[in-house]
Amino acid sequence: MEQLGSLQAMLRRSAAQRAQGLRIGLIPTMGFLHEGHLALVDRIRPHVDRVWLSIFVNPAQFGPAEDLDRYPRDRERDLALCAARGVDGVFLPVAAEVYPPGHQTWVTPGPVAERYCGASRPGHFRGVLSIVQRLFRWTNCTHAVFGAKDAQQLWLIKRMTKDLELGVQILESPTIREADGLAMSSRNVFLGPEERMAAPALQVSLKQGAEALRAGETPGRALEQMRQQLARTPLIELEYLHVADWKTLASLAGEPRVRDWEADQDGAVREELILLAAVRIGRTRLIDNLRIKLKDLQ
Ligand code: AMP
């Protein structure tokens, strides 16, 4: 397995691979890898000739009061996991080279980046899109894969790839969960034993929301039931709970019950909705979501 740190070395290597006609797959990560990341390797493998995984804890996507300094890191373990999973190359950029003195140019996402996670993390998606766009360039990737767990990120990256015509095929990979339903996350290591026991309530709540919609509740009423259930769960502090159209990420909270829905403002038929949630458990912030095909609700 190859390992490259410098941006120039990565550019040269990837340009040479593309010149040979190879398809390059990129998996952007912040490291401290778990099965959720490694499943992305399996997802992209059949589509490409070389799989590159990047590890970079991107300071630009962390707010001043966030956990950049304590974000978990374990370089040696990550490299061993990548090698065992058949990754061809690991790209390890360093912040001093990515953000040299004087750096000041960014990708500005559209209004969808200000909702949901963007409302509680101002500037977060600007940091994410900017680094992803540069990772695409350094690695010359033809394909890249992102997890459904970070749904708003996935949506914004698909949007950016279209809007800036980056020519990269974006693949999506389903959320990988622990046996009790908690979505795998590098941040789960921060949970103390009692917090860890409380954490699966997030996914339980999303499932209950889906059930309520299926039973004919309005989206507003389903969200209210979810809020009440989470409020009863010890240690969990709700940050946001929303229901949105997956095509546009527009909120559907004010809509009537699903079976009475009409086309959206643009006249498009709604196909899939998404329940989105973020909570805090102690000092740890967790997000999760559930996508539901409308035909499964009607
Ligand atoms: P991160 O290291 O948290 O930036 O995540 C890197 C990539 O892995 C992103 O595309 C995430 O959506 C994806 N990912 C993280 N956790 C999971 C999970 N539990 N299931 C699926 N994908 C995940």
Side-chain angles (χ1 to χ4, degrees), residues 27-40 54 56 61 71 145-151 153-154 157 173-178 182-187:
I27 307 167
T29 82
M30 298 204 298
F32 209 69
L33 303 179
H34 49 70
E35 187 54 33
H37 296 112
L38 298 170
L40 303 178
S54 63
F56 181 57
Q61 68 193 65
Y71 196 83
V145 63
F146 296 86
K149 196 202 88 168
D150 300 278
Q153 168 177 288
L154 168 68
I157 287 168
S173 201
T175 303
I176 304 295
R177 298 178 180 280
E178 304 286 356
L182 174 64
M184 288 191 185
S185 163
S186 305
R187 290 189 168 97

Side-chain angles (χ1 to χ4, degrees), residues 24-31 33-46 48 50-56 82 85-93 132 135-136 139 141-147 153 157 168-169 171 173:
I24 298 174
L26 172 67
I27 307 167
T29 82
M30 298 204 298
L33 303 179
H34 49 70
E35 187 54 33
H37 296 112
L38 298 170
L40 303 178
V41 180
D42 305 342
R43 173 75 179 89
I44 204 165
R45 178 97 260 170
V48 296
R50 294 288 183 276
V51 175
W52 281 86
L53 184 143
S54 63
I55 300 178
F56 181 57
C82 286
R85 203 64 164 229
V87 169
D88 299 298
V90 178
F91 177 39
L92 303 149
V132 167
L135 286 164
F136 284 2
T139 61
C141 59
T142 53
H143 297 67
V145 63
F146 296 86
Q153 168 177 288
I157 287 168
V168 175
Q169 196 174 322
L171 304 176
S173 201

Side-chain angles (χ1 to χ4, degrees), residues 94-237:
V94 288
E97 207 188 350
V98 173
Y99 300 110
H103 174 277
Q104 58 182 276
T105 306
W106 304 93
V107 174
T108 305
V112 164
E114 268 132 58
R115 300 175 201 155
Y116 317 128
C117 282
S120 33
R121 305 185 73 189
H124 170 68
F125 289 116
R126 177 180 92 144
V128 170
L129 295 193
S130 298
I131 195 67
V132 167
Q133 189 265 337
R134 296 175 72 196
L135 286 164
F136 284 2
R137 194 179 96 76
W138 295 319
T139 61
N140 266 291
C141 59
T142 53
H143 297 67
V145 63
F146 296 86
K149 196 202 88 168
D150 300 278
Q152 190 177 8
Q153 168 177 288
L154 168 68
W155 193 99
L156 287 164
I157 287 168
K158 283 187 184 164
R159 191 70 250 172
M160 171 182 76
T161 307
K162 273 201 197 93
D163 290 345
L164 303 185
E165 300 170 277
L166 300 179
V168 175
Q169 196 174 322
I170 306 299
L171 304 176
E172 153 179 3
S173 201
T175 303
I176 304 295
R177 298 178 180 280
E178 304 286 356
D180 61 7
L182 174 64
M184 288 191 185
S185 163
S186 305
R187 290 189 168 97
N188 290 352
V189 297
F190 293 138
L191 298 170
E194 283 178 33
E195 294 173 341
R196 177 63 189 80
M197 296 236 296
L202 178 56
Q203 200 223 4
V204 170
S205 163
L206 291 167
K207 283 185 168 164
Q208 286 176 342
E211 259 328 297
L213 292 173
R214 205 167 284 132
E217 297 286 6
T218 61
R221 181 83 195 117
L223 292 177
E224 189 46 41
Q225 288 177 5
M226 294 165 75
R227 254 180 226 119
Q228 284 171 10
Q229 183 262 329
L230 285 170
R232 282 194 297 270
T233 312
L235 302 177
I236 291 201
E237 195 193 317

